[in-house]
Amino acid sequence: MASSRSPETPSAEVASPETPSAEVASREVAFARNPSREVTSPGGASSDGPDARAFDEVVAFTSDLIRVDTSNRGGGDCRERPAAEYVAERLAGAGLEPVLLERTPGRTNVVARIPGTDPTAPALLVHGHLDVVPADPAEWTVHPFSGEVRDDVVWGRGAVDMKNMDAMVLAVARSWARQGVRPRRDIVLAYTADEEDSAADGSGFLADRHAGLFEGCTEGISESGAFSFHPHPGMTLYPIGAGERGTAWLKLTARGRAGHGSKVNDTNAVTRLAAAVARVGDHTWPVRLTATVRAALTELAALHGIEIDPDDADLDVPLLLDKLGPAAALVEATVRNSANPTMLQAGYKCNVIPGEAVAYVDGRMLPGTEEEFAATMDLLTGPDVAWEFHHREVPLEAPVDSPTFARLRAAVERFDPDGHALPFTMSGGTDAKQFSRLGITGYGFSPLKLPPGLDYGALFHGVDERVPVDALHFGVRVLDHYLKSA
């Protein structure tokens, strides 16, 4: 997941051919100002759950979307439009009025609004991205863009990140249309481009240029939360995202004296850069507990029969993580900042010492630690290496004592009474960062009930990404229940 914005190259905004720009503007006004517009099917029936067709559709939609190769290799090398058109067609079939919007041709976003029954209630944003990270078919058991359903499991890139959630929301919306169901509050659906790179063509573009589509939205839900995690036999946890570390992608540049590779050079740019990269990679960042991480540790400790004082400033976090065993995986990446060197660029010939060497570092910052992060990077890079933010996005934290979080927790536990939902902070980031510019508080809530042994975390951007059909059905039930009364 990527969640920072690259410097934007000026480009013309492109509305889809099916949606001329004047119509786009008029629909934005209609979406924001006409909450009484109904989405119903003949009969106007209500329902306590999704209809049977929704369970077939969620599998078909997941499979179909996987077959649309929306690999995002960065630098604008992606085309989400075919997937966006697929989604828009099915939303239109549910009586909605989807708008297709592009900053760059082919990088298409879809936005639609489902009106609620209470015009005084704030709107809820439900968003998911249409792009995926690349996949090499030679490494996979099943072709990553086949969408094959094998042994009641849907295989392919995007099965968990995050075409499954895209399909679940689509199936719920269509089920509501067939049953004449309306939620309590307006629900804005956003299917975005470019989340796996900079979000400049996706949620960043929507937040900056089309804020009117999201008028009234105060909260949002999206990926990376409410999936089942089995740290011990008989223990099932459902971590709900209530925070994200900030994105700090860094560019390090060392300069020196170019020269012949056979001669002594005490201002070698490669040597200077290598030393700085080693210091960054070897650095152990201090523990910094945010409110969300502290809440997660408190609940995990209680589940393991460990007594702690959550307000103890001297809490021995490494010791506690050891005691939590496998459950520590939910929090260990978010008790501190991080900075991992990922790319090196220098030279063009073995016998030439270059005058410049460049490295890139994937840095992540906890809420409230931005100044400390920058000061630490100054120390680690030293006087001979300059650093700058290549991409940067804010850290996020959502309240875990809110009515919204309580409803999210209750929705999951309603369909798995033996499970325990708890808050957690995501080590990476999502489109919630861009939508936060509009004052929208984001939660990670893409419910899946996975069997023990299926490592959800390893499936993200991993080989043989897949999702059980039963997990999709669970997600449809949970989302249907939560979204109706949210």
Side-chain angles (χ1 to χ4, degrees), residues 154-376:
V154 185
W155 291 70
R157 178 60 84 216
V160 298
D161 186 17
M162 64 172 298
K163 290 179 175 178
N164 63 329
M165 175 67 166
D166 295 337
M168 289 190 291
V169 173
L170 196 56
V172 169
R174 287 169 61 86
S175 175
W176 286 1
R178 290 189 294 269
Q179 297 175 297
V181 171
R182 287 178 59 189
R184 182 183 69 89
R185 60 201 288 192
D186 278 20
I187 294 177
V188 176
L189 307 180
Y191 292 81
T192 64
D194 203 28
E195 192 274 348
E196 295 292 3
D197 187 25
S198 67
D201 279 311
S203 57
F205 159 67
L206 293 175
D208 292 345
R209 305 269 191 91
H210 293 280
L213 289 173
F214 307 96
E215 184 173 323
C217 289
T218 57
E219 296 165 314
I221 63 169
S222 188
E223 63 180 317
S224 298
F227 55 90
S228 60
F229 174 61
H230 307 274
H232 309 286
M235 179 181 289
T236 303
L237 306 179
Y238 288 90
I240 296 173
E244 300 181 6
R245 293 196 299 176
T247 304
W249 293 353
L250 312 177
K251 179 181 179 181
L252 278 57
T253 304
R255 293 182 173 86
R257 187 179 75 252
H260 199 286
S262 67
K263 297 186 177 182
V264 174
N265 188 325
D266 57 4
T267 56
N268 186 317
V270 174
T271 302
R272 289 175 168 179
L273 180 72
V277 167
R279 289 193 295 270
V280 171
D282 290 340
H283 181 66
T284 300
W285 294 81
V287 170
R288 297 285 184 262
L289 294 185
T290 65
T292 302
V293 173
R294 194 176 290 275
L297 286 171
T298 301
E299 293 200 30
L300 286 171
L303 287 169
H304 287 76
I306 303 170
E307 292 187 12
I308 66 168
D309 178 359
D311 298 320
D312 183 2
D314 298 320
L315 180 66
D316 190 334
V317 174
L319 177 61
L320 176 58
L321 293 177
D322 284 343
K323 292 181 178 180
L324 293 177
L330 288 179
V331 292
E332 60 188 355
T334 57
V335 299
R336 58 183 94 228
N337 293 334
S338 65
N340 289 311
T342 55
M343 297 171 63
L344 296 170
Q345 299 171 353
Y348 60 92
K349 199 171 186 293
C350 187
N351 64 346
V352 177
I353 297 173
E356 181 179 286
V358 173
Y360 291 88
V361 173
D362 184 341
R364 306 288 169 149
M365 306 175 292
L366 288 163
T369 67
E370 293 95 325
E371 290 185 6
E372 178 186 25
F373 182 92
T376 302

Side-chain angles (χ1 to χ4, degrees), residues 374-408:
T376 302
M377 291 307 303
D378 286 340
L379 291 173
L380 294 175
T381 54
D384 297 323
V385 178
W387 72 271
E388 61 185 308
F389 287 106
H390 178 58
H391 292 311
R392 183 179 184 180
E393 268 297 345
V394 297
L396 301 177
E397 195 151 37
V400 300
D401 57 354
S402 67
T404 293
F405 189 87
R407 291 190 185 100
L408 293 171

